[in-house]
Amino acid sequence: MKILLTVVLLLGIFSTGSKAQNASVEDNVWGVQALMLPLSVYNETKLTNSIALRSELAFGLSFTSYSYIGSNTRSSLSWAALPFAIVEPRFYYNLNRRVEKGKRIDGNSGNYWSLFACYQPGFGISSGDIDIFPAAYIVPTYGLRRNMGKRFNFEFAVGLGYGWEFQKYDYPDGRTYSHTDSDVLFNSRVAFGYLF
């Protein structure tokens, strides 16, 4: 009797699990996004039913201002356009629940947890007053993506992680100064996207 009850319970669990496994991220999603980062081209590749690997090339803007007060008082606003390479495994945890409620999951529309890993290679286009150094960031992130029509979507994400900037200065006398500056980093994404 105990064996029969155990078999019935296991069959019930597995049949429920097999129904829940119908929801899945898409095999391959290509898109562009714009807003907080002026331009981002990305691909999400399915690893499992709920995990996708996002790879992305992005271009961000950086602004800085300073004022110098002295014999020659001046202030300046400088800018830089910087490329970023991003790899981000995403765990879409609520796809089954969205399907059960009749909500869309196409284009990987759902809530996710991810590990945002970003590298800036140390070059970019700037107004000339900004030193650009290589940098790396790792940020655990919570986010969501929602569809707006067939091809458009909205994405919002926030995370708190750590970043490193690899500074290197060459002095005129031939000496080199190298330093790694690191700090806690808040990262956010607010973007509208288009799916190909």
Side-chain angles (χ1 to χ4, degrees), residues 42 57 114 127 137:
Y42 68 90
L57 291 176
S114 72
S127 62
Y137 314 100

Side-chain angles (χ1 to χ4, degrees), residues 54-97:
R54 179 179 173 119
S55 51
E56 180 175 6
L57 291 176
F59 295 90
L61 293 176
S62 175
F63 295 95
T64 185
S65 67
Y66 69 90
S67 296
Y68 173 75
I69 300 173
S71 59
N72 295 327
T73 300
R74 64 186 171 118
S75 63
S76 175
L77 174 65
S78 301
W79 60 269
L82 307 169
F84 295 90
I86 300 165
V87 175
E88 184 181 13
R90 290 183 171 187
F91 170 60
Y92 288 91
Y93 66 87
N94 71 334
L95 298 179
N96 293 324
R97 190 173 67 223

Side-chain angles (χ1 to χ4, degrees), residues 102-172:
K103 296 182 179 179
R104 295 172 56 186
I105 63 169
D106 57 306
N108 296 346
S109 179
N111 297 13
Y112 62 85
W113 289 100
S114 72
L115 186 61
F116 178 88
C118 177
Y119 179 70
Q120 201 289 318
F123 60 83
I125 301 168
S126 73
S127 62
D129 295 337
I130 295 179
D131 291 322
I132 302 172
F133 300 106
Y137 314 100
I138 296 179
V139 183
T141 301
Y142 171 79
L144 59 90
R145 180 187 296 153
R146 296 295 183 266
N147 291 318
M148 300 180 324
K150 180 122 176 101
R151 294 278 181 196
F152 293 94
N153 60 42
F154 170 77
E155 190 163 335
F156 171 77
V158 293
L160 190 63
Y162 213 72
W164 298 266
E165 184 178 64
F166 309 104
Q167 301 174 356
K168 184 177 179 182
Y169 296 97
D170 292 324
Y171 292 105

